[in-house]
Amino acid sequence: MGNETETPSSTADILIVDDTLANIQVLSAMLKQQGYKVRPVLEGKVALKAAEKQVPDLILLDISMPEMDGYEVCTRLKQNPNLSQVPVIFISALTEPLDKVKAFSVGGVDYITKPFQLEEVRVRVENHLRLTRLQRLMEEYNHNLEEKVIEQVNEISDSQLATILALAKLAEYRDKDTGRHIERIQHFCRLLVTYMAGMPGYSGQISPIYIDNISHASPLHDIGKVGIPDHILLKPGRLTPDEFAIMKTHTMIGYNLLQSVNERYSHNSFIKTGIEISRSHHEKWDGTGYPDGLKGTEIPLSARILAVADVYDALRSKRPYKESFSHIASSKIILEGDGSHFDPDVIKAFIELEDTFERVYADLC
């Protein structure tokens, strides 16, 4: 894609696709001022040819255009192996939730509503270019690993973990209220899975490698939130049903991101665990969760463990729309979800570890 990994983001190549000349001019002027290389086009077909001729680092794409709308342009981009990894940010006057959901479903990574604010566009562009660079760093690092390390899926180097953690931090840093959330999640998951390794029926499923994988991959559970618009992710209040529908897409955004890595490194069990967690950590034991409505043991064990850790930490943490709950109140809510929201076996482990959970939260709050 476009520039090399070490190239500063300010020299990134950005393709702007919009049939309104005024929008093209305003966006081009702002991005050029930031030092980006800008290529403006007015039609979808022309945009595809321009992208094929020179692969851009990022595309800003309108939806309502004659002959070929933005949805079709994005679909064709994702069908082209050379262009499928280019991040696409939709910029559109369409405000219906279904329009936004469709934009994400065809491969968009973000959605900005017109009339747009230039500062918002600047920050979104910068964020997604940063994410793309981090993903390339991870891919390049893995590509240079010795064959022995690639095949030995139980070997996860400090450098790999640092790169993965950087990706997870990119999702977390947008929401300052989460604090040290992913660090606590790692501790909680390791506590639960280690305890469950000694429970009947799990000794053959939970190995030392599995314990390390779930601990190290747990920070990836919300990586898909990099694709959720700020006005939803950072809303200082409860989400409307339509906003929540968009928020729920973070599971599939994260899944698709990690799946693209897995396609290249299919023997890496660490990445596979991250895929399970990112997609399924909002599934519920009784089948009422999302995105797939999985039930019981259809839900990967890693996601069932992460669900308890994540909900406990969310309850304990202060958010824009709620105050923090005490350990006693949080534990009571967790236990009320036994057999409905949560796996009964994970709850058994949680009961034995309640005091330790409280200490971990106090140490890392």
Side-chain angles (χ1 to χ4, degrees), residues 75-101:
T75 298
R76 294 196 182 190
L77 287 168
K78 299 307 173 183
Q79 291 172 345
N80 186 326
N82 295 326
L83 302 174
S84 62
Q85 299 304 310
V86 177
V88 176
I89 299 177
F90 283 96
I91 301 185
S92 175
L94 300 178
T95 59
E96 291 297 321
L98 288 178
D99 296 319
K100 298 178 181 180
V101 171

Side-chain angles (χ1 to χ4, degrees), residues 12-16 24 27-29 31-32 36-40:
D13 178 14
I14 300 177
L15 185 65
I16 304 176
I24 288 277
L27 289 170
S28 295
L31 293 171
K32 286 180 179 178
Y36 297 114
K37 176 183 177 182
V38 179
R39 287 187 288 153

Side-chain angles (χ1 to χ4, degrees), residues 2 39 45 105 123 145 183 253 309 360:
R39 287 187 288 153
K45 291 182 178 179
S105 69
V123 172
L145 288 176
E183 295 172 59
I253 294 172
V360 169

Side-chain angles (χ1 to χ4, degrees), residues 256-271:
N256 289 329
L257 170 63
L258 295 174
Q259 186 62 36
S260 67
V261 178
N262 184 60
E263 288 172 0
R264 186 167 183 176
Y265 306 107
S266 59
H267 297 296
N268 194 315
S269 61
F270 164 56
I271 296 297

Side-chain angles (χ1 to χ4, degrees), residues 50 66 98 111 113 117 160 191 229 235 264 300 329 358:
L98 288 178
Y111 194 104
T113 303
Q117 299 294 320
Q160 280 181 299
L191 286 169
K235 182 179 178 180
R264 186 167 183 176
E358 184 176 18

